[in-house]
Amino acid sequence: MENCLFCKIIKGEVGCEKVYENEYILAFKDIHPVAPVHILIIPKLHISSMNDITYENSEYIKQVYIAIREVVRISCIYESGYRVICNCGEDGGQVVAHLHFHLLGGKHLGSKIVHE
Ligand code: 5GP
Ligand code: ZN
């Protein structure tokens, strides 16, 4: 996808603070962190959103969740805990149309997952 920001980050055309990478995924620090640990985990395949996950691309989704464990260990939040968020579409607050998972931690995140 030529105009996709996260595809450009994958290709190295836009810089990022890389945390972890393998054949399937890239994990990098969010540019506007909302917690001490705020890392985006993205598949190295352009999947626009949760709506576009299929059986055919599901290997990437499996690899995202396996990689989250690695990133959690690297970030030293394995014991303290964390939250993984995936926004989808307008009501879900998705801004970048390349599937991504926010890994948040490093502080007590509270119990609310939706603003009043
Ligand atoms: P969304 O709202 O789509 O779920 O989240 C997009 C996230 O991407 C936001 O948290 C935003 O701060 C982050 N972001 C947007 N542009 C960039 C960028 O160029 N570099 C990095 N590292 N993060 C970005
Ligand atoms: Zn993309």
Side-chain angles (χ1 to χ4, degrees):
M1 291 294 282
E2 278 182 18
N3 284 322
C4 171
L5 172 63
F6 287 176
C7 280
K8 285 181 181 168
I9 288 179
I10 290 165
K11 285 187 269 181
E13 293 171 8
V14 172
C16 74
E17 224 178 309
K18 195 186 299 180
V19 177
Y20 178 77
E21 173 176 35
N22 66 27
E23 185 186 345
Y24 292 95
I25 72 96
L26 176 66
F28 56 97
K29 292 186 182 177
D30 195 292
I31 206 164
H32 298 303
V34 298
V37 174
H38 187 173
I39 295 165
L40 301 173
I41 297 98
I42 66 173
K44 284 185 174 176
L45 176 74
H46 183 84
I47 301 168
S48 296
S49 79
M50 290 269 272
N51 284 346
D52 300 290
I53 295 172
T54 61
Y55 186 82
E56 284 70 32
N57 63 30
S58 62
E59 178 64 23
Y60 283 84
I61 309 308
K62 183 178 97 181
Q63 294 290 342
V64 162
Y65 278 93
I66 297 292
I68 284 171
R69 280 190 3 170
E70 286 302 318
V71 178
V72 159
R73 286 180 195 279
I74 290 166
S75 307
C76 304
I77 55 172
Y78 182 86
E79 298 291 345
S80 53
Y82 52 90
R83 182 174 291 163
V84 176
I85 295 173
C86 182
N87 298 323
C88 182
E90 198 179 337
D91 280 359
Q94 183 178 8
V95 174
V96 179
H98 181 124
L99 183 65
H100 55 278
F101 297 77
H102 297 256
L103 172 65
L104 300 166
K107 73 170 188 179
H108 195 261
L109 296 165
S111 57
K112 286 190 180 166
I113 56 170
V114 176
H115 289 292
E116 300 293 312

